[in-house]
Amino acid sequence: MDNKQLIAGELAKVIDSLDQDAILNLLEQPKSSELGDIAFPAFSLAKTERKAPQAIAADIADKIDSTHFDKVAATGPYVNFFLNKAEISGQVIKEVIKEGSDYGQQDEGKGENITIDMSSPNIAKPFSVGHLRSTVIGDALSNIFRKMGYNTIKINHLGDWGKQFGLLMVAYKKWGSQAAVEANPIDELLKLYVRINAEIENDPALDDEARLWFKKLEDGDPEATELWQWFRDESLVEFNRIYDLLGVEFDSFNGEAFYNDKMDEGIQILEEKGLLQESKGASIVDLEEFNLPPALIKKSDGATLYITRDMATAMYRARTYHFVKNVYAVGQEQSNHFRQLKAVLKKMGFDWSDDMVHVDFGLVTKNRQKLSTRKGNIILLEPTLQEAISRAKSQIEAKNPELENKDDVAHAVGVGAVKFYDLKTDRRNGYDFDLEAMVSFEGETGPYIQYAYARIQSILRKANFAPSADASYSLNDAESWEIIKLLQDFSRVIKRASDNFDPSLIAKYAISLAQAFNKYYAHTRILDDSPERDSRLALSYSTALVLKEALRLLGVETPEKM
Ligand code: ARG
């Protein structure tokens, strides 16, 4: 039974002028837990009852049936309820034990589809921290939506098309070597790309050549296609190493190229509806009614653009997946693009465009400076993740040299640390990439929570504890009560994270739960002989279970020993 429902029910019995739902809406959380668990403010009754709110509060507190509560007291204009800790703690613990990892599972989604456009790096370019954010946020959202009962389709919309492939082909044919590309694909391809862009300044003919090669690619010329395929394959080998490290999988790698032959339909609809306008030879859609700059759909040479491919992509997803939401985990710098995309599709008459959500996120800095390849302020993902793992490993060596499978644990801790740090940040804010802070066992970090989890496992092992959903557990101290309230909150937090497309709510929840447990642990000798011992262990067990599940939603593992 929901605590607020219970209280509203009891209040409705003694308040005539408000029904239970109205009372439910008025209930608040007191400013501090010393004042009580839930408060009813009496202000709104003052008019009808023609009495001071203080007097009304005192009157209600007097009349209420307090058998379900530890205490009911009026404090000023509030009626404060102290819930029955002994009773509720037992109920909550039992529910967690009974449901196991299904605790918090909801059926809002009823199996409907949500597509998630995530990661989506560009072929022949380095995998950036922006792509890392997109990968980690998209993956967490997928887990959260699934916990809400949706089905998700994780799509890696690779940047594998565009004029830059023409440039790359020309550069490769002029200066490249197969061996060099195979040895270090992205590094080498990037060098070629940088070089041709520099040389074009003095030799504009290179640009025409590149356009020609891209045209060949678009027309399916075998040599161009083979080169493109090779660049793509080699780049994916590198990207896949990062995905393996991160433990992230995709349902589809359909990127921009996949839509190359699927753009006509959208353009045709625009033409039929008279939405395309000519502007200096190019075709645009006016978006003034949306307060947006016009969308450029086709260049004067007939070439399509990023947005043209995204239109085809969205139409394909609507048709293929019948999504209830089409989510794009992409950096803030593309906000305008997604606003325009949505607006164009809306003008085309697609109502599902209302279900497109740009889950945007802020920039990552390093040493508080903007990242810049040119200035050498860069984060190379693969070596950085390896570094996180090795730092985790030295901390484990120092703390627990006897630990079995140290490498697996170091992997879970190092990678988990980077992911957690990203996810605990409100996604619209950026953050400074600080490996030291990420892998620290202190502070609001992934390792802090993983450590709390492993500590509980060690307590449970020592006690040889076997949880039972039929046993009767009961606790009534202040520290365990904080944990109980958090455990009870888990489903609501998941729902809020899902509604707001915001994994940081889960991350913050996990931090609070780990902190509440550590406080409990500092106050209570869990293993001491006492009639409460089993209840304490059951509480610890339930905490660990929910911590593990919260971290799982974030894509972070929980080693049993650390
Ligand atoms: N490849 C793009 C980039 O790296 C991100 C693609 C995002 N997804 C999309 N459907 N436009 O900036």
Side-chain angles (χ1 to χ4, degrees):
M1 173 100 165
D2 185 72
N3 298 335
K4 284 192 171 170
Q5 290 282 5
L6 171 81
I7 290 172
E10 291 304 320
L11 279 166
K13 292 181 194 161
V14 299
I15 299 173
D16 296 331
S17 57
L18 292 173
D19 66 13
Q20 191 167 330
D21 279 341
I23 295 171
L24 193 64
N25 280 326
L26 289 171
L27 295 178
E28 300 177 4
Q29 185 150 353
K31 292 193 181 51
S32 100
S33 49
E34 272 132 59
L35 287 170
D37 299 309
I38 289 166
F40 174 75
F43 305 104
S44 55
L45 296 175
K47 252 211 183 112
T48 39
E49 306 215 351
R50 299 167 174 283
K51 273 202 287 192
Q54 284 81 349
I56 300 171
D59 192 36
I60 293 175
D62 233 25
K63 283 195 201 140
I64 211 104
D65 172 6
S66 60
T67 45
H68 293 291
F69 306 104
D70 282 353
K71 193 167 101 185
V72 180
T75 312
Y78 292 94
V79 186
N80 288 325
F81 293 83
F82 295 77
L83 292 159
N84 186 330
K85 298 194 206 43
E87 192 179 297
I88 293 178
S89 59
Q91 288 165 2
V92 171
I93 291 171
K94 266 174 131 158
E95 199 179 323
V96 178
I97 291 174
K98 199 174 97 217
E99 303 204 354
S101 57
D102 273 342
Y103 187 67
Q105 178 68 38
Q106 295 164 62
D107 64 358
E108 175 187 284
K110 306 211 161 46
E112 302 240 53
N113 285 340
I114 298 186
T115 50
I116 308 177
D117 187 305
M118 53 184 270
S119 197
S120 314
N122 300 318
I123 296 303
K125 300 255 180 74
F127 192 102
S128 73
V129 195
H131 298 121
L132 173 76
R133 291 211 79 183
S134 170
T135 309
V136 168
I137 292 172
D139 194 44
L141 286 177
S142 170
N143 295 330
I144 293 167
F145 294 148
R146 282 176 174 261
K147 191 90 180 169
M148 292 302 294
Y150 295 93
N151 178 45
T152 59
I153 300 108
K154 301 195 277 178
I155 307 171
N156 196 332
H157 188 77
L158 292 173
D160 55 3
W161 205 249
K163 208 192 100 194
Q164 72 270 27
F165 286 92
L167 288 164
L168 218 50
M169 285 174 200
V170 175
Y172 175 71
K173 289 181 80 76
K174 282 201 187 320
W175 311 300
S177 92
Q178 185 174 344
V181 171
E182 273 167 2
N184 239 329
I186 291 180
D187 211 37
E188 186 60 23
L189 292 172
L190 184 67
K191 271 189 201 139
L192 291 170
Y193 185 68
V194 170
R195 175 155 178 200
I196 191 154
N197 276 303
E199 302 220 1
I200 262 177
E201 310 263 307
N202 310 317
D203 186 1
L206 286 174
D207 204 31
D208 297 331
E209 232 179 295
R211 217 183 314 249
L212 203 77
W213 272 97
F214 183 54
K215 181 85 176 81
K216 278 192 187 183
L217 179 62
E218 289 197 293
D219 295 342
D221 170 83
E223 191 189 355
T225 307
E226 200 183 314
L227 273 174
W228 169 82
Q229 188 70 49
W230 181 55
F231 294 156
R232 190 180 190 270
D233 290 347
E234 291 293 333
S235 301
L236 270 176
V237 170
E238 279 205 47
F239 296 156
N240 279 328
R241 278 207 305 271
I242 297 179
Y243 297 137
D244 280 350
L245 275 173
L246 292 172
V248 173
E249 286 172 3
F250 298 90
D251 298 303
S252 161
F253 280 88
N254 286 343
E256 293 188 47
F258 179 77
Y259 300 98
N260 182 40
D261 60 358
K262 300 177 180 58
M263 286 179 284
D264 293 346
E265 189 192 351
I267 294 175
Q268 207 178 325
I269 295 175
L270 286 174
E271 273 164 0
E272 276 163 18
K273 301 208 166 189
L275 295 170
L276 273 190
Q277 295 177 2
E278 224 211 81
S279 161
K280 298 179 203 132
S283 306
I284 62 162
V285 176
D286 181 83
L287 297 175
E288 216 185 307
E289 62 199 283
F290 296 91
N291 259 324
L292 289 167
L296 181 55
I297 305 292
K298 248 194 211 175
K299 291 202 213 160
S300 51
D301 63 1
T304 56
L305 291 108
Y306 183 49
I307 195 168
T308 330
R309 288 189 282 281
D310 256 331
M311 282 164 50
T313 306
M315 288 164 67
Y316 178 87
R317 284 182 194 161
R319 181 174 302 148
T320 310
Y321 303 113
H322 308 282
F323 55 72
V324 288
K325 285 271 181 298
N326 173 15
V327 169
Y328 298 83
V330 183
Q332 242 150 37
E333 65 284 358
Q334 294 193 28
S335 290
N336 237 1
H337 166 74
F338 285 105
R339 281 197 201 107
Q340 288 181 310
L341 175 62
K342 201 168 164 165
V344 172
L345 291 163
K346 182 85 184 170
K347 278 187 97 155
M348 289 165 84
F350 294 123
D351 285 337
W352 49 254
S353 62
D354 293 335
D355 302 316
M356 291 168 65
V357 186
H358 178 202
V359 172
D360 61 334
F361 50 80
L363 275 184
V364 174
T365 54
K366 194 182 167 195
N367 302 322
R368 318 244 158 238
Q369 309 278 314
K370 238 181 122 161
L371 296 170
S372 148
T373 321
R374 215 158 30 85
K375 291 184 185 148
N377 199 33
I378 43 175
I379 298 171
L380 294 171
L381 254 302
E382 214 184 327
T384 303
L385 289 171
Q386 298 291 5
E387 172 70 14
I389 294 170
S390 89
R391 287 193 193 202
K393 183 143 181 213
S394 22
Q395 297 205 62
I396 292 163
E397 295 279 7
K399 270 186 189 283
N400 189 358
E402 305 298 309
L403 185 68
E404 313 114 64
N405 50 34
K406 269 182 253 183
D407 284 322
D408 291 343
V409 176
H411 185 115
V413 174
V415 172
V418 175
K419 286 186 176 184
F420 188 85
Y421 202 84
D422 188 300
L423 291 170
K424 76 165 181 178
T425 316
D426 291 328
R427 62 178 162 74
R428 291 208 169 81
N429 296 338
Y431 62 88
D432 200 56
F433 200 94
D434 179 352
L435 211 49
E436 182 91 31
M438 290 174 176
V439 298
S440 166
F441 279 60
E442 269 124 58
E444 303 182 340
T445 66
Y448 173 81
I449 300 169
Q450 287 169 323
Y451 195 69
Y453 175 83
R455 165 182 277 161
I456 298 176
Q457 294 309 323
S458 134
I459 297 170
L460 297 173
R461 274 194 303 272
K462 243 182 238 157
N464 226 331
F465 178 70
S468 158
D470 301 320
S472 72
Y473 301 114
S474 171
L475 291 163
N476 64 3
D477 63 289
E479 285 79 29
S480 66
W481 184 237
E482 292 307 314
I483 298 178
I484 292 292
K485 283 193 286 188
L486 282 165
L487 294 178
Q488 238 184 344
D489 238 10
F490 191 42
S491 334
R492 271 188 293 263
V493 175
I494 297 167
K495 162 111 175 91
R496 239 184 295 136
S498 170
D499 286 349
N500 296 311
F501 308 94
D502 189 359
S504 78
L505 296 171
I506 305 277
K508 286 173 189 148
Y509 171 83
I511 294 168
S512 305
L513 184 56
Q515 285 171 341
F517 182 81
N518 284 341
K519 214 162 157 189
Y520 180 65
Y521 180 79
H523 269 261
T524 315
R525 302 169 74 95
I526 296 175
L527 288 171
D528 269 8
D529 219 8
S530 128
E532 261 191 0
R533 188 173 185 262
D534 261 4
S535 297
R536 291 175 186 159
L537 287 165
L539 177 77
S540 308
Y541 172 88
S542 307
T543 307
L545 194 145
V546 173
L547 281 177
K548 185 188 179 91
E549 188 55 12
L551 287 189
R552 185 193 68 78
L553 292 176
L554 301 177
V556 175
E557 292 176 68
T558 33
E560 298 300 302
K561 294 183 185 172
M562 260 170 89

